[in-house]
Amino acid sequence: MTNVLEFLEQSAEKYPNKIAFADEENCCTWQELKEQAQKIGTALTKEVVMGSPVAVWMDKSVDAIITFMGIVYAGCFYVMLDKKQPLQRIAQILDTLEQPLIITNEYSSKETAALREFKEQETGFRILEYQILMQEAIQIEYLSKIRAKTLDIHPLYGIFTSGSTGVPKGVVVSHRSVIDFMNYFTDNFQITEKDIIGNQAPFDFDVSVKDIYSALKTGATMQMIPKRMFSFPTQLLDFLCEKKITTLIWAVSALCIVSELHGFSYRVPEKVNKVLFSGEVMPVRHLNIWREFLPNAMYVNLYGPTEITCNCTYYIVDRDFIPGETIPIGQSFQNEKVFLLDEEDKLVDKIGQRGEICVSGTALSLGYYNNKEQTQKSFVQNPLNHQYLETIYRTGDLGYYNEKKELCYATRKDFQIKHMGHRIELGEIEKAMEKVEAIHRVCCIFDDVSLKIVAFYEGPIEKREIVKELRKSIPAFMIPNVFCQRDRLPLTKNGKIDRAALKTSYQKEIETDKGERK
Ligand code: AMP
């Protein structure tokens, strides 16, 4: 297999009339998806050169999936844009992609008008209308010619992640990486055509790649869950029950919303039998609530950055954990090598010793689009291999092996701080705070202006009580200097705790304090 369209075509062959994808208003069968994508593909062959990026300016929807596949039929790769992002950032993405063609299904909306106005001066700026592309008659011979020229190493999609330089980096992932990863992913977790996958992740976040391609590969149905439901657990649980969802491949925070707001005392989605999570450390307290209410489901901790195609390790939860214990990230997926390097680039294999998590294998992405410098920084020759070319991706995450030789995530390298001469992992403080019964969620930051460790937390407990508890598990120099209680910790649009927002809010609080004292 060399092209993900073979997944689509096989499912259309096997299950032509089965629902493939559904959003709140629309749905399409496998046959419809194939035909509509071929229409878009045919229309695009007249508009773009094979291999180009094509941006998708739409809400998460069935239309967006049809458009993705249409772009692939045209031999191009898709980049989903998030319409809610500031235009400034969208413009940076479009610049990196060198002004790609944009497809929208809401040509006359206010948002599209704003985008047009913002970028109109740009030479070559073009937006095409989905509804018009859909009127095209399918020309199989055009599509076949393109297919014959497509290689499995060609890009399939691009996903933009935040870059430390302030400019978003576009990770480009090939057909080969997705085919390789998805074969193991669906086999390991027994995802089949009988499953109904409840999609939570936005399409510009790579967690959604697992939903989309699990469906494409197996013929399962993917049901998109409206975003607003993640603010109303009762609605969310009704939806999961009514749609008979079996499979959740969600960001950690999305699962925590249900457990935090006591969703299960309202209703339990009995059909859910697979709960896969990733993106952040899963708080044990929340996992335990899920396990209590859905004891027969399979729970999987998935780890990995976008740069290596979704995930490179997994751990199927096979024992009980108590708050404060670490749920391993487990073992590498087949055909991937995941290993640790110390600061001198020596292999780490001793239990408990930390090292940077590094990955090699087919699943490695093609690097950052139009960004040679950043690509060369993170995608490097394996320092342990002097014999032949072997590119590895350095994740910037620290890991270690536990007593059972399972790989565990420790923290990000850049969450390691020096405080009063001590080297401290903010993750360790968070783990200690997680053990405190009344703390529901926690996030620690280091404020490099005031040089203070600031702990933000959710839960009905006072600072004095927390400090008393922390003294039992961490040294005094690790106890946060400041504790800030919040009703809800802010989340990024990808559903991770928004550390940058917490830092800014803390700095603002200090500024206001100073102002009031003056
Ligand atoms: P992204 O590329 O947005 O998926 O972010 C990847 C980063 O999220 C990783 O490099 C880790 O820092 C973090 N991450 C992903 N999965 C996990 C996990 N299971 N446990 C802890 N951190 C994780």
Side-chain angles (χ1 to χ4, degrees):
M1 182 178 275
T2 56
N3 192 306
V4 295
L5 292 172
E6 290 170 59
F7 283 153
L8 167 60
E9 288 157 3
Q10 282 170 9
S11 290
E13 176 89 33
K14 281 199 214 155
Y15 316 106
N17 302 317
K18 184 175 179 289
I19 298 295
F21 291 87
D23 59 32
E24 221 179 353
E25 283 133 32
N26 261 325
C27 65
C28 68
T29 64
W30 287 106
Q31 185 61 23
E32 285 165 348
L33 172 59
K34 184 179 110 180
E35 282 173 13
Q36 293 173 7
Q38 287 180 337
K39 287 185 189 176
I40 303 263
T42 306
L44 284 180
T45 55
K46 300 171 190 165
E47 303 285 348
V48 267
V49 179
M50 195 184 152
S52 322
V54 178
V56 181
W57 178 256
M58 292 186 191
D59 283 329
K60 177 160 95 171
S61 56
V62 172
D63 287 359
I65 299 281
I66 293 171
T67 309
F68 290 173
M69 291 300 114
I71 292 169
V72 182
Y73 268 114
C76 296
F77 71 97
Y78 59 86
V79 179
M80 180 75 174
L81 299 173
D82 173 8
K83 295 188 331 200
K84 300 276 173 305
Q85 283 197 1
L87 284 174
Q88 206 83 43
R89 191 169 194 271
I90 300 279
Q92 286 177 329
I93 293 175
L94 296 176
D95 290 347
T96 303
L97 297 172
E98 295 171 307
Q99 311 318 327
L101 190 70
I102 301 172
I103 303 180
T104 185
N105 58 352
E106 37 182 277
Y107 198 75
S108 343
S109 75
K110 253 197 335 216
E111 283 153 322
T112 311
L115 175 68
R116 229 181 286 134
E117 216 167 279
F118 198 79
K119 292 288 287 179
E120 208 142 43
Q121 286 79 333
E122 212 75 60
T123 38
F125 177 71
R126 270 194 316 154
I127 304 187
L128 298 187
E129 214 173 335
Y130 171 82
Q131 290 80 351
I132 295 179
L133 297 176
M134 281 293 264
Q135 289 165 14
E136 188 79 24
I138 301 170
Q139 307 250 19
I140 290 291
E141 63 282 12
Y142 285 11
L143 302 179
S144 308
K145 263 193 207 151
I146 289 194
R147 181 77 71 86
K149 282 193 274 178
T150 314
L151 306 185
D152 66 354
I153 52 164
H154 284 167
L156 168 65
Y157 63 79
I159 286 187
F160 279 78
T161 65
S162 74
S164 51
T165 54
V167 179
K169 294 183 290 190
V171 181
V172 263
V173 176
S174 70
H175 286 255
R176 178 80 262 137
S177 296
V178 172
I179 293 168
D180 192 62
F181 175 68
M182 287 317 302
N183 279 328
Y184 297 122
F185 185 82
T186 50
D187 281 359
N188 291 357
F189 310 126
Q190 295 130 45
I191 299 174
T192 70
E193 83 286 355
K194 296 200 180 71
D195 279 307
I196 303 181
I197 302 168
N199 158 261
Q200 169 264 324
F203 287 176
D204 62 334
F205 183 30
D206 90 332
V207 173
S208 68
V209 170
K210 291 174 271 185
D211 294 331
I212 298 171
Y213 288 91
S214 290
L216 282 163
K217 167 158 194 260
T218 63
T221 296
M222 187 186 106
Q223 173 69 55
M224 298 167 216
I225 306 173
K227 187 167 178 238
R228 62 167 197 287
M229 291 189 180
F230 289 88
S231 309
F232 302 100
T234 53
Q235 281 185 27
L236 178 60
L237 288 162
D238 282 341
F239 191 85
L240 297 181
C241 293
E242 275 153 30
K243 301 289 179 193
K244 301 190 170 54
I245 305 287
T246 63
T247 307
L248 309 180
I249 310 170
W250 286 8
V252 163
S253 296
L255 292 176
C256 290
I257 287 167
V258 176
S259 34
E260 174 76 44
L261 301 178
H262 309 290
F264 295 128
S265 48
Y266 168 70
R267 206 167 173 187
V268 178
E270 308 275 358
K271 291 260 188 299
V272 171
N273 56 26
K274 292 179 269 300
V275 182
L276 290 73
F277 46 87
S278 63
E280 287 181 285
V281 172
M282 177 65 165
V284 171
R285 198 180 307 286
H286 290 273
L287 175 66
N288 287 349
I289 296 175
W290 275 84
R291 291 182 79 189
E292 183 190 336
F293 286 94
L294 285 169
N296 299 322
M298 167 175 30
Y299 293 86
V300 188
N301 187 16
L302 296 164
Y303 160 84
T306 309
E307 284 85 342
I308 53 83
T309 314
C310 306
N311 303 121
C312 51
T313 73
Y314 67 98
Y315 167 70
I316 301 180
V317 177
D318 59 356
R319 56 182 189 268
D320 291 336
F321 289 88
I322 51 168
E325 271 186 322
T326 298
I327 307 166
I329 54 172
Q331 65 190 92
S332 58
F333 275 93
Q334 297 93 319
N335 204 23
E336 292 189 56
K337 182 166 79 185
V338 180
F339 58 106
L340 304 179
L341 289 178
D342 70 10
E343 275 160 13
E344 278 145 27
D345 280 348
K346 300 233 165 52
L347 187 71
V348 171
D349 52 10
K350 272 200 221 97
I351 286 170
Q353 193 191 334
R354 288 184 177 197
E356 181 175 2
I357 304 177
C358 297
V359 189
S360 97
T362 304
L364 251 60
S365 68
L366 305 171
Y368 305 113
Y369 198 70
N370 258 331
N371 193 338
K372 197 166 153 194
E373 196 187 323
Q374 291 292 331
T375 303
Q376 285 177 344
K377 235 191 225 170
S378 305
F379 295 82
V380 296
Q381 169 67 19
N382 181 355
L384 306 176
N385 186 348
H386 302 291
Q387 292 77 31
Y388 55 89
L389 267 184
E390 182 193 355
T391 307
I392 63 166
Y393 176 70
R394 304 194 74 126
T395 62
D397 291 327
L398 294 175
Y400 62 93
Y401 297 101
N402 66 13
E403 295 291 331
K404 293 181 189 290
K405 301 232 172 79
E406 295 155 331
L407 187 60
C408 294
Y409 169 89
T411 182
R412 282 216 46 87
K413 248 168 125 183
D414 42 10
F415 295 164
Q416 193 177 72
I417 57 160
K418 269 279 164 99
H419 184 46
M420 294 155 61
H422 299 281
R423 189 168 126 179
I424 299 174
E425 306 283 1
L426 293 174
E428 200 182 333
I429 308 177
E430 290 168 357
K431 270 259 131 43
M433 284 186 69
E434 210 188 85
K435 280 193 234 162
V436 180
E437 181 79 34
I439 293 182
H440 301 161
R441 287 215 83 183
V442 56
C443 176
C444 291
I445 60 153
F446 183 65
D447 179 49
D448 21 29
V449 181
S450 61
L451 302 182
K452 286 184 172 155
I453 300 173
V454 188
F456 292 88
Y457 66 97
E458 293 172 12
I461 181 167
E462 294 295 318
K463 170 183 168 178
R464 205 162 16 95
E465 287 301 308
I466 305 177
V467 172
K468 209 165 103 194
E469 288 298 314
L470 288 183
R471 284 213 180 100
K472 295 178 194 164
S473 54
I474 50 175
F477 63 82
M478 282 176 75
I479 294 185
N481 309 95
V482 182
F483 290 87
C484 302
Q485 194 181 28
R486 294 279 190 271
D487 288 343
R488 277 283 155 271
L489 295 181
L491 300 181
T492 64
K493 68 178 198 60
N494 290 346
K496 299 191 192 197
I497 295 177
D498 193 340
R499 289 173 183 270
L502 286 173
K503 214 168 196 171
T504 317
S505 81
Y506 176 68
Q507 280 162 356
K508 269 198 197 131
E509 271 171 38
I510 307 186
E511 284 308 310
T512 325
D513 261 12
K514 269 194 210 152
E516 280 167 5
R517 260 185 266 134
K518 264 185 200 163

